[in-house]
Amino acid sequence: MATLRRLREVPRHLLVCEKSNFGHDKSRHRHLVETHYHNYRVSFLIPECGILSKELKNLVMETGPYYSVKNLPLHELITHEFINTFVKKGSCYALTYNTNIDEDNTVALLPNGNNAHLFLSLILKEMGFTELAFRIHMTLYGEHQPKIALSTVPELQCPVLRSSALRGEPEAACSAPELLDWLGAVFSHAELNNEPHNFISAYCCPQPSTVVAKAYLCTITGFILPEKICLLLEQLCRYFDEPKLAPWVTLSVQGFADSPVSWRENEHGFRKGGEHLYNFVIFNNQDYWLQMAVGANDDCPP
């Protein structure tokens, strides 16, 4: 019975929300993106948009490739050859593939050269990898491109937001947590009309809300470098360089559930929930909201 009670317990989740401006000297948006190392899904939503700009679409299409590797002994990661080739002359991100952190041996290689735990197999993201693979007898298992899904959502009901009202305002603006719930429903392609016969989802858009004629949704899934996400964030900030109908856009990033770390070297666990994610809400005045979430047994996000 004790085990059954524990299974019924609601998993603990932590959500941190803060407000800043991209022009502020102490804005930490870049540092936060750069230190969230292992990212598997990036999504952005642009209300009142039917087609992407050339610059933004090019960035989306240039997020790969990444590589999978087999039969790489752990000690090779600390050899002088590996460190000189990848750590000192650039950066290297790696994560075990198809392992469960609460059940299997797992390793993550951070761009500063630190690693954790053990591993059975490896995903390695680094250009120029093939030459090194022959030198230290790794098996290059394959080159992969991220999966890209582009779509236009018609007649989308969106929450009304005010950049100065992170907690929302009664009958005037929705809060940051309400927005995050709504984004999850949109990214999951859930119905938002709260129809009584819908047994899958009874969720509806928080109020107050407004209906936009169309919204552009892009989702990139794979092994995605923080540097690529920084470029996407910068380009989304430039979206408002010219007048736009959209009052805000969002950029959401999810980490691998079985990564040994979330941000920096913060230990990450799974148990009942393996999420570690962040979301930017970018307003047309360059204000932004930053939302960071972890679950289960993680410490508070940075």
Side-chain angles (χ1 to χ4, degrees):
M1 291 299 295
T3 301
L4 183 60
R5 283 195 299 269
R6 286 196 298 270
L7 289 173
R8 288 176 175 173
E9 291 177 357
V10 177
R12 186 201 70 158
H13 300 276
L14 291 172
L15 175 64
V16 175
C17 304
E18 61 185 53
K19 174 187 174 295
S20 187
N21 185 282
F22 289 108
H24 288 173
D25 292 338
K26 295 184 178 180
S27 175
R28 63 192 192 113
H29 61 278
R30 176 175 286 276
H31 178 70
L32 181 123
V33 173
E34 290 175 344
T35 55
H36 192 265
Y37 301 117
H38 304 113
N39 311 288
Y40 90 96
R41 180 169 294 169
V42 178
S43 302
F44 60 83
L45 178 72
I46 307 177
E48 299 291 7
C49 176
I51 187 170
L52 287 185
S53 67
K54 180 180 178 181
E55 294 79 10
L56 193 51
K57 190 169 184 178
N58 286 342
L59 280 178
V60 169
M61 297 302 175
E62 294 171 0
T63 50
Y66 57 98
Y67 302 92
S68 56
V69 183
K70 281 188 175 182
N71 303 325
L72 173 60
L74 182 60
H75 65 81
E76 294 288 3
L77 298 179
I78 58 173
T79 62
H80 290 295
E81 187 173 17
F82 188 92
I83 293 173
N84 289 334
T85 303
F86 288 100
V87 178
K88 292 184 177 180
K89 295 182 181 179
S91 60
C92 182
Y93 300 79
L95 184 65
T96 49
Y97 175 68
N98 202 26
T99 57
N100 299 318
I101 193 172
D102 54 342
E103 298 176 351
D104 304 313
N105 294 324
T106 307
V107 71
L109 182 63
L110 310 184
N112 58 8
N114 293 334
N115 52 63
H117 306 296
L118 299 173
F119 76 112
L120 298 177
S121 59
L122 184 71
I123 288 184
L124 182 61
K125 175 126 185 175
E126 178 64 48
M127 296 303 294
F129 171 75
T130 306
E131 182 181 353
L132 185 65
F134 284 113
R135 284 196 219 158
I136 60 177
H137 309 295
M138 295 186 247
T139 302
L140 183 60
Y141 193 62
E143 178 180 304
H144 310 278
Q145 292 291 339
K147 180 181 178 182
I148 299 171
L150 307 173
S151 62
T152 302
V153 185
E155 301 295 324
L156 181 63
Q157 190 175 14
C158 299
V160 172
L161 306 176
R162 290 185 178 177
S163 63
S164 59
L166 190 67
R167 299 177 183 268
E169 295 178 354
E171 301 181 0
C174 296
S175 67
E178 288 177 318
L179 171 77
L180 196 61
D181 287 342
W182 174 80
L183 277 176
V186 173
F187 293 155
S188 302
H189 305 286
E191 298 288 342
L192 302 176
N193 50 22
N194 194 20
E195 293 289 343
H197 62 273
N198 191 335
F199 296 103
I200 298 178
S201 173
Y203 181 80
C204 59
C205 183
Q207 298 299 319
S209 65
T210 184
V211 176
V212 301
K214 52 191 172 183
Y216 203 93
L217 175 61
C218 173
T219 298
I220 309 166
T221 306
F223 194 101
I224 306 165
L225 286 180
E227 288 88 340
K228 298 289 185 178
I229 299 172
C230 280
L231 293 175
L232 278 174
L233 181 60
E234 291 173 3
Q235 192 61 49
L236 287 171
C237 291
R238 296 193 193 106
Y239 183 76
F240 295 110
D241 286 351
E242 297 179 2
K244 297 291 193 305
L245 292 175
W248 48 264
V249 301
T250 66
L251 176 68
S252 302
V253 179
Q254 294 175 271
F256 285 91
D258 290 295
S259 173
V261 295
S262 54
W263 278 274
R264 298 196 294 269
E265 297 178 19
N266 294 348
E267 186 174 351
H268 173 64
F270 195 100
R271 294 189 182 180
K272 294 181 181 179
E275 64 272 18
H276 57 106
L277 57 94
Y278 62 90
N279 178 64
F280 283 96
V281 186
I282 305 161
F283 292 92
N284 55 12
N285 62 354
Q286 293 299 294
D287 282 351
Y288 69 85
W289 292 353
L290 171 58
Q291 301 162 289
M292 299 167 286
V294 293
N297 59 330
D298 283 33
D299 291 331
C300 189

